[in-house]
Amino acid sequence: MKTVRIFLNKLLELSCSIILVVMVVLVLYQVFSRTILNSPNTATEELVRFGLVWLSMLGSAYVVGKKGHLAVTILSDHLRQSNKQVLETVVQILFLVFASSVMIYGGWKAVSVSIGQTSSLLSISMGYVALSIPVSGVIMFTYSLLDLLEQKELKESEDN
């Protein structure tokens, strides 16, 4: 399980880094072409927008994997350790439900609706942009499943 988590972390770190570097280069080129060449390239703006969608979706999946997402701890701060584990299990199950229903299923519906639409400047299918939703949903689902399995292993080792 640790190897799967490490692989996903490295894959997301690399993917998000590449997307961010490409976006910065495109924006710099856009500024250069607009100010120096006096001939703005409008296609870069659309590419940066699509990159931002992918970056935010993959980044949110990465944050879920690192357990760095926003959490309200007012309840868990007042619970005993055994009850904290129960609460953590409930939270991970809710993440599984959210990832499978909203992100994967709903995201796939969005892809199927938008696959026939094309972007105005690049004529790229908008389904490729919407594909970021179910892809990040699968990654979130995997991370939550790994968290549940690791929590189960931890509980079994404490019981022994």
Side-chain angles (χ1 to χ4, degrees), residues 87-106:
L87 180 63
E88 178 65 22
T89 301
V90 169
V91 167
Q92 291 306 322
I93 290 171
L94 289 174
F95 257 112
L96 287 172
V97 170
F98 172 77
S100 60
S101 62
V102 175
M103 300 292 289
I104 298 172
Y105 178 75

Side-chain angles (χ1 to χ4, degrees), residues 2-88:
K2 281 199 182 275
T3 55
V4 173
R5 182 179 295 277
I6 290 170
F7 173 75
L8 279 175
N9 287 345
K10 292 295 181 190
L11 178 68
L12 288 173
E13 288 168 1
L14 182 65
S15 300
C16 289
S17 298
I18 289 171
I19 292 170
L20 183 61
V21 167
V22 169
M23 286 172 56
V24 168
V25 168
L26 287 172
V27 168
L28 289 174
Y29 174 72
Q30 171 70 1
V31 170
F32 174 78
S33 67
R34 181 178 304 178
T35 57
I36 305 298
L37 301 178
N38 210 16
S39 175
N41 185 343
T42 54
T44 56
E45 183 181 336
E46 196 166 86
L47 275 174
V48 169
R49 194 172 341 124
F50 296 161
L52 183 61
V53 171
W54 272 94
L55 181 65
S56 61
M57 295 308 296
L58 292 177
S60 64
Y62 180 71
V63 168
V64 167
K66 289 288 196 174
K67 292 187 180 182
H69 51 284
L70 183 65
V72 179
T73 61
I74 192 167
L75 178 62
S76 63
D77 289 345
H78 293 79
L79 294 176
R80 290 178 299 181
Q81 187 61 32
S82 61
N83 291 339
K84 283 183 183 182
Q85 289 176 341
V86 170
L87 180 63
E88 178 65 22

Side-chain angles (χ1 to χ4, degrees), residues 95-111 130-131 133-142:
F95 257 112
L96 287 172
V97 170
F98 172 77
S100 60
S101 62
V102 175
M103 300 292 289
I104 298 172
Y105 178 75
W108 192 252
K109 288 282 194 184
V111 169
L131 189 62
I133 301 168
V135 167
S136 64
V138 168
I139 296 168
M140 286 180 187
F141 186 89
T142 304

